[in-house]
Amino acid sequence: MKELLDLFLTFARMGAVTFGGGYAMLPILQREVVEKRHWVTNEELTDYYAIGQCTPGIIAVNTATFIGNKQRGVAGGIAATLGIVFPSLVIISVITAFISNFAELAVVRNAFAGIRVCVFVLILNAVIKLSKSSVKDTLTLIICLLVLAGAVILDVSPIVFVVAAGIIGIVAKVLIHKDQAGSTEQEEEEVRS
Amino acid sequence: MIYLRLFWEFFKAGLFAIGGGLATLPFLQEISASTGWFSEAQLADMIAVSECTPGPIGINMATYAGFLTKGVPGAVCSTLGLVTPSIIVILIVARILKKFQSNRYVQAAFYGLRPASTGLIAAACFSVMVIALFTKGTGEGFLAQFGAVRWHAVILAVVLWLLMNLGTLGKFKNNIVLKKISKLHPIVFLAASAVVGIIFKFAE
């Protein structure tokens, strides 16, 4: 129970300071969950984001469910998710009830123009950190840059990039570099599937 | 039973919106049209409020729509409806992933997936940069999204980056003050940026 409460509170704290959605949560996740608590590694976090972008629902919620589930199974996944949505529920309810023109207030607009600059720098830092664990050689560098360019210029669903990159990974690692693993192991693999 | 209906409508949005936050938008437009719970104009307000409050945008939108419809219980129903499909799908995916973690094909797929995921996040970072550092451009096309450079924002970005990173770079590694600053929680930088934004009227 204590662990579940810890999951709930950790994610609630992150939900309260994440401005601008799932990607903006990344630097805070890296700090709280990877560096401070060691619940997951940077690599796992990248995997969760890749999957979170091709599965239904909100990326922040998908990632929270993943991490909670890894820590404490199904109950952990639910606790983390409830944690990440809790601050939104409270804050939005209060704002909607009391401040009808919140988003038009000059002070709010100025503050958030400043916050957006900070969110940009935070995500930039997060990307640099992630690239250290995900970009390991020329091929992965090419994939990363192509996806970046493609996602910026083309109006295509992220699923396309993720699926294509997965296939490239399989082709490059399994089909071309056959010598990396023993042939017997591969035969076993084929028999199983 | 309006609460059940709220849960169900947002459950559907959560199930079919793939790719996070704003992917929920078309589904919310549909809910607006089919139920009349909130208007298109309220939806636009919702986006503005979501951008100015913490938390995932999709969740904020669901909470806002639910609250407009039926107060706090409505907000709870719509939010839980939105996240339930995520929880179910991810729990299943996590189980499958655990089972096939050591499979060579899965590992090879992730070798390709990780840089792609990083690339997608970098693209999201790029679009935040366009909004944060440039005024809104006019016209269609890729280059037209850039307006004039907001120089005060660029200066703030450079200062923030230096504060966050100088303490970790070779030459300054032994400087205790810089090291301490670079280890500060992101919320400190966010709060400082909000103050700078207010003082220097960043929105104008």
Side-chain angles (χ1 to χ4, degrees):
Chain A
M1 199 58 213
K2 201 171 158 272
E3 267 185 74
L4 288 180
L5 192 69
D6 191 27
L7 272 169
F8 177 86
L9 290 176
T10 304
F11 278 91
R13 230 176 301 135
M14 287 193 276
V17 297
T18 300
F19 294 90
Y23 295 107
M25 194 171 92
L26 184 61
I28 297 169
L29 271 175
Q30 277 179 332
R31 185 188 173 89
E32 295 282 334
V33 182
V34 179
E35 286 157 20
K36 219 165 121 193
R37 285 161 219 270
H38 306 290
W39 286 347
V40 294
T41 61
N42 257 321
E43 269 144 10
E44 283 172 306
L45 206 56
T46 327
D47 297 349
Y48 296 161
Y49 265 80
I51 297 167
Q53 288 174 87
C54 326
T55 47
I58 292 134
I59 295 170
V61 171
N62 293 347
T63 314
T65 309
F66 256 125
I67 297 170
N69 179 59
K70 199 199 163 206
Q71 281 307 106
R72 289 288 278 123
V74 175
I78 294 171
T81 303
L82 292 180
I84 202 87
V85 303
F86 182 71
S88 296
L89 259 176
V90 175
I91 294 166
I92 297 288
S93 296
V94 170
I95 288 178
T96 317
F98 296 108
I99 318 170
S100 57
N101 59 344
F102 178 78
E104 277 114 66
L105 299 174
V107 65
V108 173
R109 286 184 34 240
N110 284 325
F112 278 90
I115 285 177
R116 270 197 289 272
V117 177
C118 188
V119 167
F120 156 61
V121 180
L122 284 169
I123 301 181
L124 182 67
N125 270 328
V127 170
I128 294 169
K129 269 189 213 168
L130 280 191
S131 64
K132 281 177 191 155
S133 65
S134 61
V135 179
K136 291 179 164 160
D137 45 34
T138 320
L139 180 63
T140 44
L141 179 66
I142 293 171
I143 294 176
C144 182
L145 293 178
L146 277 182
V147 171
L148 167 60
V152 165
I153 297 164
L154 306 172
D155 189 19
V156 185
S157 165
I159 304 173
V160 178
F161 297 112
V162 173
V163 171
I167 293 170
I168 293 173
I170 292 175
V171 171
K173 275 269 157 183
V174 181
L175 303 180
I176 296 174
H177 289 279
K178 271 185 182 170
D179 51 317
Q180 280 189 349
S183 56
T184 42
E185 193 192 318
Q186 199 181 348
E187 277 159 24
E188 270 173 25
E189 206 78 67
E190 278 162 9
V191 171
R192 243 180 282 153
S193 58
Chain B
M1 199 42 197
I2 181 98
Y3 296 116
L4 215 60
R5 179 106 197 269
L6 268 170
F7 182 90
W8 174 240
E9 291 292 337
F10 282 92
F11 182 91
K12 282 192 288 185
L15 185 60
F16 295 115
I18 297 176
L22 289 174
T24 346
L25 193 58
F27 295 92
L28 293 174
Q29 282 168 339
E30 204 226 82
I31 293 175
S32 157
S34 66
T35 64
W37 284 337
F38 45 87
S39 66
E40 285 274 338
Q42 278 174 316
L43 194 64
D45 289 349
M46 204 186 291
I47 298 167
V49 171
S50 289
E51 281 170 353
C52 303
T53 50
I57 291 171
I59 298 295
N60 290 342
M61 289 193 176
T63 305
Y64 188 84
F67 190 91
L68 284 179
T69 316
K70 267 284 170 206
V72 173
V76 172
C77 287
S78 57
T79 306
L80 289 182
L82 190 73
V83 300
T84 304
S86 286
I87 296 180
I88 296 171
V89 172
I90 294 296
L91 288 178
I92 294 170
V93 172
R95 188 150 297 181
I96 296 171
L97 204 64
K98 209 174 166 190
K99 209 172 157 191
F100 294 99
Q101 227 168 21
S102 50
N103 180 297
R104 286 178 51 232
Y105 290 88
V106 173
Q107 284 186 342
F110 273 109
Y111 163 83
L113 276 185
R114 281 177 195 147
S117 178
T118 308
L120 284 171
I121 299 167
C125 180
F126 177 84
S127 51
V128 176
M129 181 200 77
V130 173
I131 299 168
L133 303 187
F134 293 86
T135 59
K136 210 167 187 261
T138 48
E140 295 282 309
F142 177 71
L143 286 174
Q145 62 183 312
F146 300 98
V149 180
R150 296 170 191 260
W151 285 109
H152 49 350
V154 174
I155 293 167
L156 175 63
V158 172
V159 171
L160 284 169
W161 196 85
L162 290 175
L163 287 175
M164 287 180 208
N165 292 292
L166 267 187
T168 61
L169 296 175
K171 221 177 175 180
F172 300 96
K173 242 180 189 161
N174 298 321
N175 187 320
I176 298 166
V177 178
L178 284 177
K179 212 171 168 180
K180 274 219 168 107
I181 291 174
S182 69
K183 290 230 157 77
L184 286 173
H185 194 280
I187 190 68
V188 178
F189 295 110
L190 287 165
S193 305
V195 173
V196 172
I198 293 169
I199 294 173
F200 294 98
K201 298 205 165 76
F202 265 38
E204 281 164 18

